[in-house]
Amino acid sequence: MIYAVWIPLLVPFVVVPAARRLADALAPARAVRLLAATGAGLALCTLLALALLVVPGAGRLSAVAAAGEFVHPLAAPAPGTAVPLAAAALVLISGCAAAVTRAVRGHWGQLHRARPDRSDGQELAVLRDSRPDAYALPGRPGSPGRIVVTTGMLHALDPAEREALLAHERAHLTGRHHLYLAAAELSARCHPALRALRTPMGYALERCADEAAARAVGDRRVAARAIGRAALAARAAGEPPAPRPAVALPASAGPVPRRVAALLGRAAARPRVGRVAAATLLACLAVSGAAALDATYDLHSSIEIAQGEHP
């Protein structure tokens, strides 16, 4: 068990390079789902592995042994390090739990404070501000969000580009993209290597919205031009936009040149890279899960032996 239990803690480091290639080489919607599943799955395996490290050390304490009705000492490959290792794992679990709790409360609080006002029944809110900016403001669960755009951004785009920009932000709202970003944040709180999933996740979500905008206006060039001009207008303003809510999804987020190139078909198609990256992520998830289950089975057998249920 002691060997298998380390695998879920090491596998996330292998995922990082494959995840970076996945967002460019795979269809955006598939990349989002795979990145979200990988992050959540590896985070859960990490927590399970830490919990499995706690039990052997805790079982050597007299109070725990009495509560578990152990008639024999709980087996541990390295009895002298079992208790310190269990203490370290318990500290890490407590830190993860605290970080996840803070992140969930922070995300919920941001949604609550943002409160997009839809009392007028309008999806679009136009702010009188010369600084070009546009973003999707998600609503709380069960409530619609809102698209916020400044007059400066509207003046920077022609009518077709405005339609593409609004379709992009609408895709963020209908796809509930802020939940995927929140899931990536929560996964990152459970293992430091999973922080690297946030950037490819953000890029894949922007690509999803870009593709939705292109379908909505029926012209990929118009969508690409809208994204490029929105980013250039925001940069040329010379002053930062007004502070946005933390949960807002801005139109000019991520690597805009890569997004424009993808829309125009100038990015080199790499289906083989995408398949390899996807297979790597799935394999890492499967190996991590199998190792965690194997370690769980071994620990369960050790507990039964300690309780005298097996000779």
Side-chain angles (χ1 to χ4, degrees), residues 30 39 45 48 65 79 82 87 118 142 149 175 188-189 193 211 220 231 248 251:
R30 292 178 62 191
C45 289
L48 178 57
R118 292 292 296 272
V149 62
R189 298 296 195 277
E211 292 295 331
R220 299 179 69 83

Side-chain angles (χ1 to χ4, degrees), residues 7-52:
I7 293 177
L9 303 177
L10 297 176
V11 164
F13 293 102
V14 181
V15 165
V16 174
R20 289 172 178 165
R21 290 170 173 79
L22 186 77
D24 270 325
L26 205 64
R30 292 178 62 191
V32 166
R33 291 193 294 267
L34 186 52
L35 287 169
T38 300
L42 293 181
L44 290 175
C45 289
T46 295
L47 294 177
L48 178 57
L50 291 174
L52 292 173

Side-chain angles (χ1 to χ4, degrees), residues 51-233:
L52 292 173
L53 287 172
V54 170
V55 177
R60 304 190 74 81
L61 302 177
S62 57
V64 176
E69 299 180 347
F70 295 164
V71 296
H72 305 292
L74 187 62
T81 62
V83 174
L85 191 60
L90 185 59
V91 169
L92 290 175
I93 291 175
S94 301
C96 290
V100 168
T101 301
R102 285 195 302 270
V104 169
R105 288 180 176 176
H107 185 75
W108 178 261
Q110 291 161 8
L111 287 176
H112 183 76
R113 288 190 296 271
R115 285 192 186 184
D117 183 12
R118 292 292 296 272
S119 58
D120 56 3
Q122 299 297 316
E123 176 190 51
L124 179 65
V126 179
L127 303 181
R128 293 186 178 277
D129 192 333
S130 61
R131 295 169 291 187
D133 196 17
Y135 54 87
L137 188 61
R140 289 172 293 174
S143 64
R146 196 162 201 178
I147 299 171
V148 180
V149 62
T150 65
T151 53
M153 182 63 80
L154 293 177
H155 293 154
L157 306 178
D158 64 33
E161 293 166 351
R162 292 175 201 158
E163 183 182 353
L165 182 73
L166 297 181
H168 174 98
E169 298 303 335
R170 189 175 298 114
H172 280 318
L173 295 178
T174 57
R176 308 295 286 177
H177 289 174
H178 67 288
L179 296 180
Y180 287 102
L181 290 175
E185 283 294 330
L186 295 180
S187 299
R189 298 296 195 277
C190 298
H191 195 293
L194 297 179
R195 297 172 187 171
L197 297 184
R198 294 181 294 190
T199 298
M201 173 67 83
Y203 174 70
L205 288 172
E206 291 302 324
R207 287 283 298 116
C208 283
D210 292 343
E211 292 295 331
R215 289 193 297 270
V217 300
D219 192 329
R220 299 179 69 83
R221 289 185 173 275
V222 170
R225 194 169 67 243
I227 294 164
R229 290 187 65 179
L232 289 174

Side-chain angles (χ1 to χ4, degrees), residues 271-282:
R272 183 178 178 181
V273 174
R275 289 194 295 269
V276 171
T280 301
L281 262 63
L282 290 173

